[in-house]
Amino acid sequence: MEDIQFDTNVTFQDFQLLSLHEAKSVAESNRELSGAKDDVPAQIRLAARGPRQPTSPSRANYAQALHYKKHGIPSRIHPSSYPQDCQSTGGHAIMADVETGGRRQGGGHGGRGRFNPRKRRFREDDDDHHERRPQRRKYQEPLAQKVRRELLQIAESQTRTPEDDARNIATLVVEGIDDSEMITSFYELVLQLILEQPFKIPFVAVVIIYANQQKPVIAEEILARAGQKAQQCVGSGSWREFKLVLRFLACLQRICDGNGVFPILDELFNKAAELQEASADDAVGLELVKIILLTIPYALQERSPEFEARTLELLEKTEIIADAPHALLSLVDPYPAVPEGVERPTSASSVISILQKQLQRESGNNWEFACIPRLVQNVAPAPDGESGPKKHIFPTVVIPETVSPGPRPLFPEIYFSLYATQELETVPPITDIASTILRDALVDTINTLDYNRVATAKCLIDLDCYWAEGTFVGRGRQFDVLRELASEGKRTWKPEDMAVDAVFSQLFLLPTPEHRLIYFHSVITECCKVAPAAVAPSLGRAIRFLYRNIDYMDLELVYRFLDWFAHHLSNFEFRWKWTEWTDNVEKSNLHPKKAFVVGAIDKEIRLSFAKRIRETLPPIYHSLISKGKESDTPDFKYVSDQIPYATEAREMHGLLRTKAPDAAFANALTSIARASLEHSPTADPLLPATDAFVTAICFLGSKSLSHVLSCIDRCKERLLALGRGQLVASKPDTTTENGDNDILEAQPETITGDGAAVKRQIVQSVFSYWRDHPGIAVSIVDKLLNYTILTPLAVIEWALLPSTAAPLSDGAADGADTNATATATTDVGAKLAEAHVFEMVSATVGKVTGRVRQIVAARHRGDLPAEHVPILDETLERERADMRALLAAVRDAVGGVASGAADGMVDDEGGEDGGAAVEGQKLRREWGHRWARVFERKAVVEEGVVGEVAVQMAAEAARKAAEEAKTKAEEMKEGDRGKDEVAMEDANGAAEAHEGALNGEVEIS
């Protein structure tokens, strides 16, 4: 090393190319020359850390060697091992190549000179080795999967336009038309996509239009399949699917000859007019008119003077039906109790009447339909002398003579919106055609994708991707930005508001939503997860709007709102700005807003526990959570000897714990009944015995619902006997002799009572024990109904008739709950304001109506044996009569409260506090009216489904459908038989020819 001269001007970057040994040598040389005695600098040690591994020669090695030679640094790479092309190449050219394409200096680590020993080593045959290196097998996506993926994601890209997506998909389909798997899946996916994601109907239609320019057979097949699907939907009464297929066909009018979709629209109107003439209450005709009006905007995307003229003719005819008031419209009004002089929260007009006016207004705007994307305006015309893309025959759809109403009963629909009356227009006003076009596509998407709430939420959040540019503002825009846009005359429609509005329109759909309420709850929750910053403020404004107008809202919608509100808060840590509603805490429990708050807190406690809910509420709300709610197991009131019949009740509790047989309870029950008769001979002796027995069952089963169900199952026979008004006492220990001196065994004594009163007492005992947890009591009553221990009428009477709510005249003496008795007898109608009472009554009525519907569905089954028909008819008559009696009982009970004629209400008007009494009577009457309206609507709905006329019409439709299916089966059978005969003749001919050939061969030989 002594004979090597070092350059004292070696920089830090140069040291990055050195090994540790070389760096030390350079440092020592510099120190000797400069007279310094310091050790190797730290930066040099860091720059040259680690022994350098010997490397194979390459262009980079040669460039490195030139650098060493320039600075007089010894190199470990011998020049003879350099590549041949490097030995005669100038250093500057090599360095330029290294700077542009070689490895970065320093070996990574931010240029600090650290060497990575895991870097691949160069080989002498590096170029050949690179060529022989095994490459990872490249995956080539099958064409069918690629087309499917591209079609499902059409219009979702943020970097490509929908037109580019459509052209690319059309090109893929045209080029791979010989791939049978791809083309078959493409045809099937097109029809599936337009039914599940209506947003994409215009985009899918553009794909077919582009494909028709090169391969008309693709469009021809799609039109044929769409026509068949439309005909199937008409026959089965699937009106939503028919509407969407018809919309798709309307978007394909560009490639069809003739008048396009308008002949079908004319035929639909003729059938609607015929149905309306037959019955003014018909809803199928309204649905057909709605389909006509919603198809027109898409049909006019192909501008034609003839199409516009026919549209005006249609609008003149549909105006008669659209503007006519429907008899059932008032029953589906979400705000029926708005007093005079108060502005309605939403419009009371039906959807088809609004749509009719919007289309008439749009005719003055030259049929603009600004929200619908126009994607085929730039299709190049055919060159002169050449024909354009092939035109096809538009499919024909025949409307049957007898139309099916479909699987769900149809009712008129009122346009419901949460944001229509805001300061800023965050959703289209009802005067704009965009409000109904957007709402219709949103609602169809929500109801069709019910099997996947995550996909539904994604489609709703991506709403702005599927409509014309400029229809919506950016997602999550604040109101300050919207005010600036409004001052400039621009649109301020928020896509998240439009999506939330559509979900709530289905959640609050009357008389019944299409799916279970929990589905719409989950869709809103998923939307919050997908876009929390955008959706959360919209939900906040929606909640405030609903709470502000809760006094006028339909009662059924109030409880739907309550259930969703509590469920939604449970998904987001029960966070809400309760301080906004503190003004209503001190109001009467009969006030609608106070009743909502109390019911919401009770629901939250059901979904969590009282202590946690108390921590989420401001202190002013703590009085609404009693101490009993914080206890999971209520106390057993018969623990105290001060309560009558405590000894017998504790005895029965012990028997229940030891799982004693049913006969073991006779002594305790008989003892209570006899003591009650001694105390009050006119009282029903079975009521205190029933109260003690049921309370013991509730106490033992308080651990869980399964525990109480186990107890009820063991005591079922005893409870059924009590419900019949019979209590078989224990056998006496005496015998008697007859005149023949025969010893006769004494028969057991039977104590009788009022069975209906006993059933009401069972409900009273359950609610008395679980008074701090009414939700559990509702669940237990529901199970008792399943066991037929209780009857629906008994539950209704306990809930709505104050005279039967506390059957014991001396509750304290007979073991009843004194406080509950006093409340029930003096506060007539107060139960109507309790959420759990409505929940229980509604569930009970639903059980009865559901059973009748099941019988009707079984009656209409095509494979029902003939001998079962009379049995089902008899059962249907009996169950339908019971259903009508139950609904009549509900209407009578709440009607008395609504009119103020219920027992006790007249006497209360003369109370000491006259002003409070008058206000209380007014609130009770309002609750009575709201209850009466709900169950009047239920009665009308059920008559339209299971009434004699509805059943007869459904049976006739089922018979015709069966005949048509039989006819088709016979036709197919005849066709198959003809094919078999032809095949047999061909086989016989071939056999004869073969036999003749064989004979000829024999003769020749």
Side-chain angles (χ1 to χ4, degrees), residues 700-711:
L700 184 63
S702 59
K703 291 184 178 180
S704 67
L705 186 60
S706 60
H707 281 73
V708 73
L709 289 181
S710 176
C711 294

Side-chain angles (χ1 to χ4, degrees), residues 931-994:
W931 273 72
R933 178 182 178 79
V934 170
F935 289 96
E936 179 185 358
R937 179 172 58 243
K938 287 184 180 294
V940 172
V941 171
E942 295 307 320
E943 286 296 329
V945 177
V946 300
E948 289 83 357
V949 178
V951 171
Q952 184 178 359
M953 293 177 60
E956 183 66 19
R959 184 185 62 81
K960 290 183 178 180
E963 290 178 356
E964 293 178 359
K966 184 178 180 180
T967 303
K968 290 181 179 179
E970 291 177 354
E971 291 176 355
M972 293 178 62
K973 188 175 181 181
E974 290 294 333
D976 294 339
R977 186 181 303 167
K979 292 179 180 179
D980 293 340
E981 291 176 357
V982 172
M984 183 63 69
E985 292 177 359
D986 295 341
N988 292 335
E992 292 176 358
H994 182 65

Side-chain angles (χ1 to χ4, degrees), residues 503-754:
V503 177
F504 273 100
S505 72
Q506 296 306 291
L507 179 62
F508 291 160
L509 182 65
L510 291 174
T512 54
E514 185 169 344
H515 303 290
R516 298 179 62 184
L517 300 178
I518 190 65
Y519 166 65
F520 303 107
H521 297 187
S522 61
V523 168
I524 296 175
T525 302
E526 292 298 330
C527 288
C528 291
K529 293 179 180 179
V530 174
V535 177
S538 297
L539 282 181
R541 285 183 280 114
I543 293 171
R544 294 178 179 91
F545 170 84
L546 292 170
Y547 183 78
R548 185 168 59 250
N549 300 289
I550 208 170
D551 299 4
Y552 319 125
M553 189 185 294
D554 184 271
L555 186 60
E556 188 172 358
L557 299 187
V558 171
Y559 288 115
R560 290 187 197 175
F561 172 41
L562 188 151
D563 291 341
W564 169 79
F565 178 71
H567 184 200
H568 187 75
L569 293 188
S570 70
N571 289 323
F572 297 96
E573 300 180 356
F574 297 99
R575 290 176 295 180
W576 175 246
K577 296 181 180 180
W578 291 97
T579 54
E580 299 178 2
W581 297 347
T582 54
D583 296 341
N584 300 309
V585 176
E586 303 299 331
K587 293 182 178 179
S588 167
N589 288 341
L590 293 173
H591 194 279
K593 288 186 171 63
K594 173 68 174 297
F596 176 84
V597 171
V598 173
I601 293 176
D602 179 68
K603 284 278 187 179
E604 288 188 350
I605 292 175
R606 286 202 227 175
L607 297 170
S608 181
F609 49 93
K611 183 178 179 181
R612 182 184 180 189
I613 301 304
R614 182 189 292 272
E615 294 173 352
T616 64
L617 297 172
I620 193 173
Y621 289 92
H622 291 177
S623 61
L624 302 179
I625 302 178
S626 62
K627 292 184 179 179
K629 290 184 180 295
E630 298 184 2
S631 175
D632 295 334
T633 303
D635 296 332
F636 188 44
K637 65 180 180 180
Y638 290 103
V639 172
S640 173
D641 291 332
Q642 302 298 322
I643 302 297
Y645 319 120
T647 303
E648 292 83 353
R650 291 196 294 268
E651 179 184 351
M652 286 189 288
H653 176 258
L655 293 173
L656 288 170
R657 292 192 61 182
T658 58
K659 298 182 181 180
D662 181 71
F665 296 93
N667 289 332
L669 290 172
T670 304
S671 176
I672 296 176
R674 289 172 178 169
S676 177
L677 284 174
E678 293 176 1
H679 182 270
S680 178
T682 59
D684 192 334
L686 298 185
L687 299 185
T690 301
D691 179 65
F693 188 43
V694 174
T695 303
I697 291 175
C698 290
F699 178 60
L700 184 63
S702 59
K703 291 184 178 180
S704 67
L705 186 60
S706 60
H707 281 73
V708 73
L709 289 181
S710 176
C711 294
I712 293 173
D713 189 62
R714 295 201 308 269
C715 304
K716 178 182 177 181
E717 297 302 324
R718 177 66 64 179
L719 291 171
L720 287 172
L722 290 172
R724 292 191 296 267
Q726 298 176 356
L727 173 59
V728 179
S730 57
K731 296 180 180 180
D733 296 332
T734 59
T735 58
T736 59
E737 296 181 0
N738 59 9
D740 299 332
N741 296 325
D742 294 331
I743 298 177
L744 302 178
E745 184 178 357
Q747 297 298 321
E749 178 186 2
T750 301
I751 302 175
T752 60
D754 185 359

Side-chain angles (χ1 to χ4, degrees), residues 31 84 120 169 191 357 370 372 448 467 525 534 573 580 656 679 787 801 810 815 818 824 842 875 905 928 960-961:
R31 185 171 61 251
Q84 296 297 325
R120 68 179 183 90
I169 297 171
L191 292 182
K357 295 181 176 63
I372 300 179
T448 305
W467 301 96
T525 302
E573 300 180 356
E580 299 178 2
L656 288 170
H679 182 270
Y787 280 107
L801 297 181
D810 49 348
T818 308
S842 181
T875 306
M905 292 189 68
K960 290 183 178 180

Side-chain angles (χ1 to χ4, degrees), residues 294-568:
L294 287 172
T295 306
I296 288 175
Y298 297 90
L300 291 181
Q301 293 304 297
E302 176 65 17
R303 304 300 294 272
S304 168
E306 183 180 358
F307 288 172
E308 294 177 4
R310 298 198 65 167
T311 299
L312 292 175
E313 293 177 4
L314 268 175
L315 292 178
E316 290 179 1
K317 293 187 291 187
T318 57
E319 185 177 7
I320 302 172
I321 299 177
D323 292 342
H326 197 277
L328 302 178
L329 188 64
S330 60
L331 292 178
V332 296
D333 187 358
Y335 291 100
V338 178
E340 296 183 2
V342 178
E343 183 181 0
R344 283 186 57 88
T346 60
S347 172
S349 302
S350 66
V351 172
I352 62 170
S353 65
I354 293 175
L355 189 54
Q356 175 76 25
K357 295 181 176 63
Q358 291 173 345
L359 286 171
Q360 291 173 342
R361 188 177 297 106
E362 196 70 15
S363 64
N365 296 334
N366 195 25
W367 309 106
E368 184 180 7
F369 301 115
C371 65
I372 300 179
R374 299 179 182 273
L375 305 174
V376 290
Q377 302 300 316
N378 299 323
V379 175
D384 295 338
E386 297 183 10
S387 59
K390 181 181 177 181
K391 295 282 188 175
H392 304 275
I393 300 175
F394 198 85
T396 302
V397 178
V398 179
I399 307 300
E401 186 66 25
T402 302
V403 294
S404 172
R408 298 183 66 252
L410 299 174
F411 290 90
E413 182 181 355
I414 289 181
Y415 189 86
F416 181 85
S417 177
L418 301 172
Y419 308 107
T421 58
Q422 286 186 139
E423 174 189 359
L424 291 175
E425 287 186 357
T426 59
V427 295
I430 60 173
T431 57
D432 196 312
I433 188 67
S435 62
T436 50
I437 293 177
L438 295 172
R439 172 66 64 82
D440 178 72
L442 281 164
V443 167
D444 290 341
T445 302
I446 294 169
N447 289 326
T448 305
L449 294 177
D450 60 293
Y451 55 85
N452 192 334
R453 66 181 187 275
V454 177
T456 304
K458 184 180 182 302
C459 288
L460 297 182
I461 296 301
D462 294 340
L463 170 66
D464 51 346
C465 296
Y466 308 117
W467 301 96
E469 186 177 356
T471 302
F472 296 101
V473 298
R475 303 175 192 174
R477 291 292 179 89
Q478 301 295 327
F479 263 66
D480 295 338
V481 179
L482 297 184
R483 290 188 181 92
E484 295 178 2
L485 294 175
S487 63
E488 298 173 1
K490 298 180 180 179
R491 285 179 176 173
T492 56
W493 301 346
K494 294 170 65 68
E496 56 271 16
D497 279 20
M498 197 72 204
V500 171
D501 212 16
V503 177
F504 273 100
S505 72
Q506 296 306 291
L507 179 62
F508 291 160
L509 182 65
L510 291 174
T512 54
E514 185 169 344
H515 303 290
R516 298 179 62 184
L517 300 178
I518 190 65
Y519 166 65
F520 303 107
H521 297 187
S522 61
V523 168
I524 296 175
T525 302
E526 292 298 330
C527 288
C528 291
K529 293 179 180 179
V530 174
V535 177
S538 297
L539 282 181
R541 285 183 280 114
I543 293 171
R544 294 178 179 91
F545 170 84
L546 292 170
Y547 183 78
R548 185 168 59 250
N549 300 289
I550 208 170
D551 299 4
Y552 319 125
M553 189 185 294
D554 184 271
L555 186 60
E556 188 172 358
L557 299 187
V558 171
Y559 288 115
R560 290 187 197 175
F561 172 41
L562 188 151
D563 291 341
W564 169 79
F565 178 71
H567 184 200
H568 187 75

